[in-house]
Amino acid sequence: MALSGMRGLSVFISDIRNCQNKEAERLRVDKELGNVRTRFKNEKGLSPYEKKKYVWKMLYIYMLGYDVDFGHMEAVSLISAPKYPEKQVGYIVTSCLLNENHDFLRLAINTVRNDIIGRNETFQCLALTMVGNIGGREFAESLAPDVQKLLISSSCRPLVRKKAALCLLRLYRKNPDVVNVDGWADRMAQLLDERDLGVLTSSMSLFVALVSNNHEAYWSCLPKCVKILERLARNQDIPQEYTYYGIPSPWLQVKTMRALQYFPTIEDPNTRRSLFEVLQRILMGTDVVKNVNKNNASHAVLFEALALVMHLDAEKEMMSQCVALLGKFISVREPNIRYLGLENMTRMLMVTDVQDIIKRHQAQIITSLKDPDVSIRRRALDLLYGMCDVSNAKDIVEELLQYLSSADFAMREELSLKAAILAEKFAPDLSWYVDVILQLIDKAGDFVSDDIWFRVVQFVTNNEDLQPYAAAKAREYLDKPAIHETMVKVSAYLLGEYSHLLARRPGCSPKEIFSIIHEKLPSVSTSTIPILLSTYAKILMHTQPADPELQNLIWAIFNKYESCIDVEIQQRAVEYFSLSRKGAALMDILAEMPKFPERQSALIKKAEDPEVDAAEQSAIKLRNQQQQMSNALVVTDPVSTNGTPPVGQLSLVKVPSMTSSVAAEPGLIQPNGTLTIVDPQPPSADPQPPSADILGDLLGPLAIEGPPGSAVQSEPNAVLGKGVVVDGAAIVPVGEQANAVQPIGNTAERFHALCLKDSGVLYEDPYIQIGIKAEWRGHQGRLVLFLGNKNTSPLLSVQAIILPPAHLKMELSLVPETIPPRAQVQCPLEVMNLRPSRDVAVLDFSYKFGANMVNVKLRLPAVLNKFLQPINVTTEEFFPQWRSLSGPPLKLQEVVRGVRPMPLMEMANLFNSYWVTVCPGLDPNPNNLVASTTFYSESTRAMLCLIRIETDPADRTQLRMTVASGDPTLTFELKEFLKEQLVSIPTATPRAPAAPVSPVSQPTSTAAASNDPGALLAGFL
């Protein structure tokens, strides 16, 4: 019987494999499914063995992609079988067929629980395996306590405890709010004393998950982890079965070091010393051998040790040893090891004081650029990009230019962009920068974006000393028999603007310049012809009084293109022909382009684009982090005393760090580099402003400081927060402010505006502007304070103290005591919401300017609605939740009077602006509103909040509001918050929170420009 049954299954699988096409397979499967259905219907005559066989067939059919819903119940029923063969099939097939939300799983919960708490170890293991594989919420709620008991039980065998640890890990990862791990620090400490390495490894996996969620609760386990590493490093009491190629349990070593990286520091000197001894042993004992498997294991341990060394900010000697070890790796023949060496050396750039040591390996890194493996070439490029600074920029950029001609096409665009950025950031002088960009265009024109040649034009336009040199270099490149069209564009533009500076040089007369440019006209595309027409007009302008022969030649070209089908070309030809007939007046009409305003580099913005490949993006962020010596970045205004930006002027002043504070969030605030960064307007000979689509990604220009009391267009007023008396001049109780310096604009209105948007000006007076840019995710926020000195003298004795309420955890980075003239300091501020509250944090800010000592207390817009996330719920989701929250304190109701009458749509817009989503159609009464939102805090995590507003059409000054949530404090605070908004409503409907809007490119007044923190200085994106 058994033999025939197994033969039947084997024959079916053979039949499937022998099918000639999909149709034949489908017919054979349908035949078998019909047979299985028939046998399942006659279940009384079906033996346990036959049921097991048919369930196996059903699983095989399911793996082929066919629907077997009819057999789910049969698979689940096998779980309760008394014998192991049938029970095993039931557990395996159920794990494969059913997901965590399947209704049939509820039928098996009691059986699974009986197996877990039973005495049969085999059944326990089967049950734990299935629970871990499925990991559903119902399993977690019902079975997690029993799994926890198994894990800490001293009577269970290690085999069961290992599976219990991994099962609990899965349940915790899927449902951290359901699995109760409160007070587990002592139990984890006991588990980390376990002598069995199997149980210890599984427990360490669980520990990594727990400590990643809340390391504060597990400080007592830290010494235990160090002792585990000591035991493994000394190979003490390590069974042979846990030794892999002579390495004691490499998996446990890696997990333990990963867990230690979640602790911010190690305070105990003895523990720290013991740990560094272990790390030293790992670093000294790891070398490259011929056995690939041993290399993989030892390198996994080594690179985790390197990450831990960087995390703990070890002594410089150990850091040097790490770099030296990586230097060995990047010189071996094995490509995987070279890749890992380059990747980890790139990570080392984040560590202070090791860049000079990494530079010693520059020659070997450059050699890796020529490696046959493209992934190694990319990592070498990332590393060179990250380690570049003023001292080695020339060598690295020249190497990149040489490599450009032989690099494969997939890398050339990235290579060109990075070479251009490095040349811009670290150029020793601007003439070298011009040489590099022109070489770049000459060698890789197809891969050079327009942003790159826009940049060189901006530098030349803003630096008069550079203009003759740039024009001469452009003239040299035009002599080449074949040049790229991008080179034609940049050369034509530069010569159109500055060829008159070369008039005395041989071969540079206006007619000769025109001739050599006109030779390129037949070979260029329609996008380049407008630039050439602009150049001809400029040449004609510079030859006043006119050369008749040259004038006729250029007029003939204009006449030719007056009937061109391309609108841009036609319009330019017509207008230039008309303008050129004005004679000497042409000098005023087509005067040189003005200097470009100071803005952030479009190249750096492009390099930080989120669509860039993840590996490239990480290298860019690493470099940006490495550049920051402090969290406070000071961006200076490069305007000199005579009003012109000097060549080589620095625009980023590094403030020496006095603390090892965490680096600013990459991607939110990034440094601009060390050269004067002038953001581009696209070159055009047309005196009209460039088109808006090209300027869409640029920030507004430098704002001129305005007189005290300038009117500011601010957001309408609203009442937010409590416990602070608001004065129109500053956010302090009346009578406590004795400043002689008065703010510009209404500071209270600025605060309320920032409660609805994420960037803007918080405070401004004649000497300083304080702006804010924020990013909110769940219960955490990252703000950046922009402290901008508007004057030509420094601000002294600068102090900024955060006075947080009890429900917010806030950490402000170091604020320098002095802000240089015409500079802007960027100070990151980390915010964590611990629980619901309407209390408001206060910034106590003071500075000294001349004889004036200014002190203001400013409310920070880290208010309750910043931790809301809109969510749209359906009828099926809303009403069950609404009914389950019955009565106080989870559901509160109040009649609100004194509401300004408004249309229902306006009230809905008001709620939406505070991230409370109005859900239309849920309430049958058209005079009512139903809304929902999700509140985030460390105590509540994601908490759904439901709101119902009942209005009276006869009396719009009152309404009944009902608020419900799963947390009593949240319900009360949200009700009061919404009540405050309704009772004291602004005169205009607030705008919904949105991404920061870039300021206009040409503000017409100081007031308009001063409402954006980037308008004082182009200091942030």
Side-chain angles (χ1 to χ4, degrees):
M1 177 70 180
L3 187 61
S4 65
M6 292 306 295
R7 190 183 304 119
L9 179 60
S10 301
V11 168
F12 171 63
I13 294 174
S14 298
D15 289 348
I16 292 294
R17 290 178 176 175
N18 293 330
C19 288
Q20 298 298 317
N21 50 50
K22 191 69 178 176
E23 183 63 22
E25 178 189 288
R26 187 183 63 78
L27 291 173
R28 180 67 181 91
V29 167
D30 285 346
K31 177 182 176 182
E32 191 64 36
L33 285 177
N35 180 42
V36 173
R37 283 194 188 94
T38 303
R39 299 307 301 268
F40 280 165
K41 285 180 181 177
N42 188 22
E43 192 172 353
K44 292 183 179 178
L46 203 63
S47 68
Y49 177 81
E50 288 177 317
K51 182 184 284 190
K52 178 187 72 170
K53 179 186 67 173
Y54 289 125
V55 169
W56 273 131
K57 284 187 178 182
M58 190 176 65
L59 176 61
Y60 183 72
I61 293 170
Y62 169 78
M63 291 168 64
L64 293 174
Y66 295 92
D67 190 8
V68 290
D69 290 352
F70 70 90
H72 288 174
M73 188 63 195
E74 305 299 332
V76 172
S77 66
L78 281 178
I79 293 177
S80 57
K83 295 182 179 179
Y84 173 78
E86 290 79 21
K87 187 181 285 286
Q88 179 202 29
V89 173
Y91 274 119
I92 292 175
V93 176
T94 301
S95 299
C96 294
L97 296 185
L98 306 186
N99 62 38
E100 60 185 76
N101 300 316
H102 204 287
D103 292 337
F104 282 172
L105 285 179
R106 296 173 185 166
L107 305 176
I109 285 181
N110 287 334
T111 304
V112 174
R113 184 173 186 273
N114 290 333
D115 285 341
I116 288 177
I117 64 178
R119 295 293 182 181
N120 190 315
E121 292 177 351
T122 305
F123 291 177
Q124 284 179 322
C125 291
L126 286 174
L128 290 170
T129 301
M130 189 191 79
V131 172
N133 283 335
I134 294 177
R137 188 174 188 85
E138 292 194 33
F139 273 179
E141 292 174 344
S142 305
L143 304 177
D146 297 314
V147 176
Q148 288 173 307
K149 289 178 184 177
L150 276 184
L151 175 59
I152 60 177
S153 172
S154 58
S155 61
C156 287
R157 289 180 58 194
L159 175 66
V160 178
R161 296 179 65 201
K162 282 193 296 185
K163 288 190 176 292
L166 296 177
C167 178
L168 187 61
L169 170 62
R170 166 72 167 172
L171 295 178
Y172 181 74
R173 283 176 176 169
K174 290 280 289 182
N175 313 280
D177 57 323
V178 173
V179 178
N180 183 16
V181 291
D182 294 337
W184 257 63
D186 294 337
R187 294 177 179 176
M188 282 308 307
Q190 294 174 7
L191 288 171
L192 296 181
D193 283 331
E194 180 67 42
R195 303 308 298 173
D196 186 278
L197 285 190
V199 177
L200 185 57
T201 304
S202 302
S203 301
M204 187 59 72
S205 299
L206 175 62
F207 179 66
V208 170
L210 294 175
V211 80
S212 67
N213 222 17
N214 179 21
H215 72 272
E216 296 287 347
Y218 297 96
W219 280 104
S220 59
C221 299
L222 194 148
K224 306 278 188 182
C225 293
V226 176
K227 287 183 179 178
I228 291 172
L229 284 177
E230 284 184 299
R231 173 187 171 189
L232 295 171
R234 293 171 182 164
N235 205 355
Q236 295 177 343
D237 189 25
I238 307 299
Q240 186 63 34
E241 60 267 25
Y242 287 98
T243 302
Y244 185 79
Y245 287 91
I247 305 169
S249 190
W251 309 277
L252 180 56
Q253 292 190 53
V254 168
K255 291 176 188 292
T256 307
M257 287 187 282
R258 178 68 53 86
L260 289 172
Q261 292 175 54
Y262 286 105
F263 293 96
T265 184
I266 299 178
E267 301 291 348
D268 182 50
N270 293 328
T271 304
R272 187 178 175 89
R273 184 176 60 254
S274 301
L275 178 57
F276 277 120
E277 287 176 0
V278 173
L279 295 175
Q280 184 76 26
R281 184 187 292 265
I282 293 173
L283 295 177
M284 295 291 292
T286 305
D287 207 349
V288 180
V289 296
K290 291 184 178 181
N291 190 298
V292 176
N293 291 329
K294 182 173 183 179
N295 274 339
N296 289 340
S298 62
H299 293 154
V301 175
L302 172 65
F303 292 128
E304 202 65 47
L306 288 174
L308 184 56
V309 168
M310 287 187 277
H311 173 75
L312 296 175
D313 195 16
E315 293 76 9
K316 188 174 180 180
E317 183 179 349
M318 181 172 281
M319 292 292 185
S320 303
Q321 186 178 349
C322 293
V323 176
L325 188 61
L326 293 174
K328 286 184 183 178
F329 284 179
I330 66 175
S331 60
V332 301
R333 297 182 60 184
E334 173 61 37
N336 289 336
I337 297 175
R338 283 206 309 280
Y339 178 93
L340 291 171
L342 291 167
E343 184 181 47
N344 282 273
M345 200 173 275
T346 306
R347 291 179 182 170
M348 292 290 289
L349 288 171
M350 295 175 62
V351 181
T352 312
D353 299 331
V354 300
Q355 189 170 1
D356 290 337
I357 306 171
I358 293 176
K359 287 179 186 176
R360 299 172 191 170
H361 305 280
Q362 182 172 311
Q364 187 60 46
I365 298 168
I366 290 172
T367 303
S368 297
L369 276 178
K370 304 174 180 64
D371 195 277
D373 191 324
V374 66
S375 60
I376 292 177
R377 295 199 297 271
R378 287 189 179 278
R379 296 292 78 77
L381 178 59
D382 289 340
L383 181 52
L384 284 173
Y385 179 78
M387 65 188 282
C388 186
D389 59 17
V390 179
S391 65
N392 61 358
K394 259 192 168 181
D395 294 336
I396 289 179
V397 171
E398 287 172 5
E399 286 290 344
L400 295 182
L401 288 175
Q402 288 182 15
Y403 174 57
L404 195 57
S405 57
S406 60
D408 53 318
F409 290 105
M411 285 184 63
R412 288 195 183 184
E413 186 172 359
E414 176 195 354
L415 194 59
S416 302
L417 177 63
K418 289 184 174 177
I421 292 173
L422 295 179
E424 179 181 316
K425 284 184 176 181
F426 306 114
D429 58 77
L430 292 182
S431 59
W432 178 83
Y433 169 73
V434 171
D435 287 340
V436 168
I437 299 301
L438 292 181
Q439 285 185 59
L440 197 61
I441 295 172
D442 186 45
K443 292 185 175 184
D446 288 331
F447 303 93
V448 175
S449 66
D450 283 347
D451 291 327
I452 293 177
W453 79 269
F454 288 172
R455 274 313 264 166
V456 74
V457 165
Q458 294 152 35
F459 276 111
V460 174
T461 304
N462 285 32
N463 293 276
E464 293 182 7
D465 297 340
L466 193 61
Q467 291 164 4
Y469 180 81
K473 294 297 291 186
R475 173 69 180 81
E476 289 177 17
Y477 276 100
L478 284 178
D479 283 333
K480 289 191 172 185
I483 60 174
H484 193 271
E485 187 169 339
T486 304
M487 183 64 76
V488 175
K489 290 179 183 179
V490 67
S491 298
Y493 182 88
L494 292 175
L495 290 172
E497 292 289 332
Y498 310 115
S499 62
H500 63 284
L501 302 176
L502 309 178
R504 296 183 180 180
R505 301 189 185 188
C508 294
S509 66
K511 188 176 294 186
E512 289 171 312
I513 294 291
F514 166 75
S515 298
I516 197 168
I517 293 176
H518 190 52
E519 287 176 4
K520 313 296 180 185
L521 183 62
S523 61
V524 298
S525 63
T526 54
S527 63
T528 306
I529 293 176
I531 296 176
L532 298 186
L533 295 180
S534 301
T535 301
Y536 299 158
K538 290 277 187 174
I539 291 174
L540 199 58
M541 179 265 292
H542 286 308
T543 57
Q544 297 298 327
D547 178 346
E549 184 181 353
L550 178 60
Q551 187 180 68
N552 291 333
L553 288 172
I554 293 177
W555 281 358
I557 296 170
F558 289 160
N559 284 327
K560 173 186 175 182
Y561 285 106
E562 280 182 346
S563 57
C564 180
I565 193 171
D566 186 280
V567 177
E568 173 76 9
I569 297 174
Q570 182 189 109
Q571 183 177 354
R572 290 203 185 207
V574 171
E575 291 179 357
Y576 288 154
F577 180 69
S578 178
L579 291 172
S580 63
R581 301 172 70 90
K582 294 185 179 293
L586 196 61
M587 294 290 291
D588 296 327
I589 299 171
L590 294 181
E592 285 187 13
M593 291 291 288
K595 295 187 186 304
F596 290 88
E598 300 293 323
R599 298 176 186 141
Q600 191 201 13
S601 168
L603 293 181
I604 296 175
K605 288 171 67 177
K606 185 175 181 180
E608 293 165 359
D609 192 293
E611 294 181 2
V612 175
D613 178 74
E616 300 170 22
Q617 183 72 4
S618 63
I620 292 167
K621 289 183 178 180
L622 284 173
R623 177 59 193 152
N624 288 332
Q625 287 178 351
Q626 184 271 335
Q627 282 182 327
Q628 300 182 56
M629 294 176 62
S630 166
N631 279 0
L633 300 180
V634 183
V635 184
T636 65
D637 175 13
V639 178
S640 64
T641 55
N642 61 5
T644 60
V647 177
Q649 174 77 35
L650 294 180
S651 69
L652 180 69
V653 180
K654 294 183 179 178
V655 180
S657 177
M658 298 175 63
T659 178
S660 58
S661 54
V662 181
E665 172 71 3
L668 178 63
I669 301 298
Q670 301 292 358
N672 286 342
T674 56
L675 275 174
T676 301
I677 305 300
V678 187
D679 224 45
Q681 295 177 12
S684 171
D686 191 337
Q688 300 300 321
S691 58
D693 58 328
I694 300 178
L695 287 178
D697 63 338
L698 305 180
L699 289 174
L702 187 70
I704 307 301
E705 62 181 90
S710 299
V712 177
Q713 188 70 27
S714 302
E715 290 291 326
N717 200 354
V719 177
L720 282 171
K722 61 182 181 180
V724 182
V725 179
V726 179
D727 178 24
I731 312 305
V732 291
V734 177
E736 288 189 10
Q737 179 161 343
N739 295 334
V741 178
Q742 292 301 311
I744 298 173
N746 190 318
T747 307
E749 289 182 359
R750 292 184 186 276
F751 165 75
H752 296 311
L754 285 168
C755 291
L756 296 176
K757 59 182 183 179
D758 290 336
S759 69
V761 175
L762 180 66
Y763 171 82
E764 184 173 9
D765 62 31
Y767 307 125
I768 195 168
Q769 183 189 69
I770 303 177
I772 279 185
K773 183 175 175 67
E775 183 181 49
W776 306 94
R777 292 179 184 172
H779 69 289
Q780 294 179 320
R782 295 181 179 89
L783 289 79
V784 178
L785 299 179
F786 296 87
L787 313 177
N789 182 357
K790 300 166 58 176
N791 296 273
T792 55
S793 301
L795 300 181
L796 307 174
S797 304
V798 178
Q799 286 191 345
I801 301 173
I802 300 294
L803 307 175
H807 75 285
L808 293 179
K809 182 179 180 182
M810 309 180 79
E811 183 177 346
L812 179 66
S813 70
L814 177 69
V815 177
E817 293 187 0
T818 302
I819 302 179
R822 302 286 290 171
Q824 188 181 68
V825 176
Q826 304 171 10
C827 302
L829 171 63
E830 300 289 336
V831 180
M832 180 179 292
N833 186 26
L834 304 179
R835 56 185 175 275
S837 175
R838 288 168 296 131
D839 293 337
V840 181
V842 175
L843 170 66
D844 188 349
F845 184 79
S846 61
Y847 68 92
K848 184 177 181 182
F849 183 84
N852 294 317
M853 188 68 193
V854 182
N855 178 254
V856 291
K857 292 182 174 60
L858 306 168
R859 288 181 294 174
L860 292 173
V863 289
L864 185 140
N865 65 292
K866 298 293 185 180
F867 305 104
L868 298 179
Q869 186 66 35
I871 182 172
N872 203 347
V873 297
T874 62
T875 305
E876 293 76 14
E877 296 167 335
F878 181 88
F879 287 105
Q881 188 74 14
W882 183 261
R883 295 189 196 98
S884 67
L885 301 170
S886 56
L890 299 181
K891 181 185 287 185
L892 298 177
Q893 191 175 87
E894 180 178 349
V895 175
V896 182
R897 295 181 173 84
V899 178
R900 182 178 70 84
M902 71 174 82
L904 209 61
M905 182 59 67
E906 188 176 339
M907 185 180 295
N909 291 338
L910 175 69
F911 282 176
N912 287 331
S913 70
Y914 288 103
W915 295 117
V916 178
T917 301
V918 173
C919 307
L922 290 188
D923 198 308
N925 190 334
N927 295 308
N928 297 347
L929 289 179
V930 172
S932 60
T933 188
T934 306
F935 177 78
Y936 289 86
S937 71
E938 192 175 55
S939 61
T940 63
R941 297 297 174 186
M943 181 69 70
L944 179 65
C945 308
L946 305 175
I947 302 106
R948 187 185 186 203
I949 304 293
E950 300 168 85
T951 65
D952 183 359
D955 185 3
R956 290 289 187 182
T957 64
Q958 65 177 0
L959 53 83
R960 182 164 64 181
M961 176 168 58
T962 310
V963 179
S965 78
D967 181 80
T969 306
L970 173 58
T971 303
F972 175 77
E973 294 290 342
L974 183 59
K975 177 182 74 70
E976 293 299 312
F977 174 82
L978 295 175
K979 177 183 173 183
E980 289 170 354
Q981 312 318 312
L982 293 167
V983 170
S984 183
I985 294 174
T987 56
T989 304
R991 290 176 294 177
V997 179
S998 297
V1000 293
S1001 59
Q1002 296 291 340
T1004 57
S1005 68
T1006 305
S1010 64
N1011 206 28
D1012 181 79
L1016 174 65
L1017 292 169
F1020 71 94
L1021 287 175

